[in-house]
Amino acid sequence: CDFDLSLDVNGDCEVSLPDLVLTAENWLLLPETTIRIQENEPGFVFVDGTIDSNNAGFTGTGFANTFNQAGAYIEWRVGAPRAGSYDLQWRYANGVTTDRSGTVTVNGTPQVSGVNFSGTGTWTTWELSSKVTVQLQEGSNLIRLVGEVSGHGLANIGWMEVTGLAPQGVSH
């Protein structure tokens, strides 16, 4: 069994196993989990555009459809019990042949650029993006996905998944 044990100058002890963290201050086991945040649910903050439901295949009540311009964005708020690495992934539809890409910012700081949303053939064909890894701080984090392609904005976004140490969607 692999594990790490650390003790800091304040006497706080932490034991880390591959997917669990046990801390002396709260003695909680926090598993690595995945949450899915859809539009109009806790964690969804804003779309620089509209929430639409005209293209079949979406889940929830619709999908986020940004304005067709570079700089258009979608925002989510995610709580993290501890600072660290978290993976993000999106379900999307991009009915044009032009790939659409975005930059991920966390708390106003760009962390990942060139997140690709390739053409899916139709607006009713939904695919998963590649996963990207970002650093979240302990507490509330504002995640923004910003369109990079002039005249196109982002693909239609059905949901965002966050995987890491017990993330939570935070109501705004």
Side-chain angles (χ1 to χ4, degrees), residues 35 37 42-44 77-79 167-171:
I35 62 166
I37 303 173
F44 184 85
R77 188 166 296 281
V78 174
Q168 296 179 347
V170 176
S171 295

Side-chain angles (χ1 to χ4, degrees), residues 44-107:
F44 184 85
V45 175
F46 179 78
V47 58
D48 187 18
T50 57
I51 301 294
D52 294 336
S53 59
N54 58 319
N55 295 323
F58 62 87
T59 60
T61 60
F63 53 88
N65 182 6
T66 64
F67 294 123
N68 288 324
Q69 60 194 31
Y73 62 93
I74 305 169
E75 288 181 330
W76 299 266
R77 188 166 296 281
V78 174
R82 297 187 76 70
S85 297
Y86 289 76
D87 291 333
L88 308 178
Q89 186 173 37
W90 295 268
R91 184 171 189 259
Y92 74 94
N94 180 7
V96 298
T97 57
T98 304
D99 290 355
R100 297 179 180 209
S101 60
T103 295
V104 178
T105 68
V106 178
N107 302 318

Side-chain angles (χ1 to χ4, degrees), residues 8 14 36 39 42 61 71 84 136 155 158-159 163 165:
D8 67 17
E14 182 178 287
R36 180 176 292 168
E39 67 293 329
T61 60
L136 299 185
W159 47 252
T163 301
L165 186 64

